[in-house]
Amino acid sequence: ETAIKYTRFQEILEMDVSNIEKIEEFAKEFKVYFDFWSIKASWEKLVADLMGSCVKSIDVDTIQNTLEKNIKTVNICQKELEGNEMFKGFKEEMEKFRAVTTILTAFREEALDENSWNEIKALLKDDPNIEFVDFDYKSKEFILSDIYKMNMMLYKDQISNISVRAN
């Protein structure tokens, strides 16, 4: 519709008629890339800032809201960027962080007692592919990067179940 208006305007002024449809198509495609790169840059900065944060003090609800909003925008961009390897990697990174938020939510459960924590630790210790480091959830020393280092995302469902049972 906008293209038709511009074309009429150019015809009335006896100007060379531009191919506005191509410009609009380019603008639409550019917006998808702009949205993707903007979200990617802001998300990577947020995650980098959080990596050194004490797990107990992370505002999971705010992070989860930001994550879900970003995933929604990424899903909108998916059709245009489907073959893009950077896009694919970023989408996987977002899904991985979704698992992290599940773990953070489970760890906030106040009913988790020493037996529950021991069960979570045993789950991680038993995996020969994980470099287990003993941790104390209540300690300021236990930071988000520790969750990544121990690849706890692989056990998000089990950790969540332990948290639910504790409640």
Side-chain angles (χ1 to χ4, degrees):
E1 185 177 308
T2 305
I4 293 169
K5 288 179 183 178
Y6 281 125
T7 302
R8 285 187 188 143
F9 178 72
Q10 289 175 327
E11 288 171 348
I12 291 170
L13 295 176
E14 297 177 5
M15 298 171 63
D16 290 337
V17 176
S18 304
N19 191 344
I20 302 297
E21 288 89 10
K22 284 187 179 180
I23 294 171
E24 285 180 332
E25 188 177 309
F26 172 76
K28 182 180 174 187
E29 186 177 321
F30 178 79
K31 182 179 180 339
V32 170
Y33 280 94
F34 178 80
D35 289 348
F36 167 66
W37 286 107
S38 296
I39 287 171
K40 187 174 183 338
S42 66
W43 180 255
E44 287 176 349
K45 181 182 178 342
L46 176 66
V47 171
D49 291 345
L50 287 172
M51 281 300 172
S53 298
C54 170
V55 170
K56 192 173 119 181
S57 67
I58 294 174
D59 182 355
V60 182
D61 296 330
T62 300
I63 301 299
Q64 218 162 9
N65 289 338
T66 302
L67 175 67
E68 294 307 321
K69 185 179 112 192
N70 287 351
I71 287 175
K72 191 176 187 179
T73 303
V74 163
N75 287 336
I76 291 169
C77 296
Q78 185 167 356
K79 183 179 175 189
E80 299 292 327
L81 302 173
E82 202 162 359
N84 183 311
E85 287 301 313
M86 288 291 277
F87 175 78
K88 182 180 174 187
F90 181 63
K91 190 167 183 188
E92 289 169 1
E93 185 182 316
M94 301 284 283
E95 292 301 328
K96 189 175 184 178
F97 203 87
R98 187 181 263 167
V100 171
T101 61
T102 300
I103 293 166
L104 293 173
T105 301
F107 282 178
R108 287 187 346 191
E109 178 56 57
E110 291 184 25
L112 285 172
D113 58 9
E114 190 173 334
N115 289 335
S116 301
W117 285 112
N118 289 337
E119 188 177 351
I120 291 170
K121 290 176 184 182
L123 186 68
L124 300 169
K125 278 183 195 175
D126 289 344
D127 188 333
N129 299 318
I130 290 180
E131 260 187 64
F132 179 78
V133 178
D134 198 19
F135 63 92
D136 176 6
Y137 173 72
K138 294 177 180 159
S139 168
K140 290 181 181 178
E141 308 280 319
F142 183 49
I143 58 176
L144 184 62
S145 64
D146 293 332
I147 289 175
Y148 275 87
K149 286 177 191 168
M150 288 187 268
N151 210 5
M152 288 185 193
M153 293 75 71
L154 296 174
Y155 295 97
K156 72 176 175 67
D157 293 332
Q158 294 93 322
I159 291 171
S160 182
N161 287 339
I162 292 169
S163 175
V164 168
R165 278 197 326 261
N167 192 4

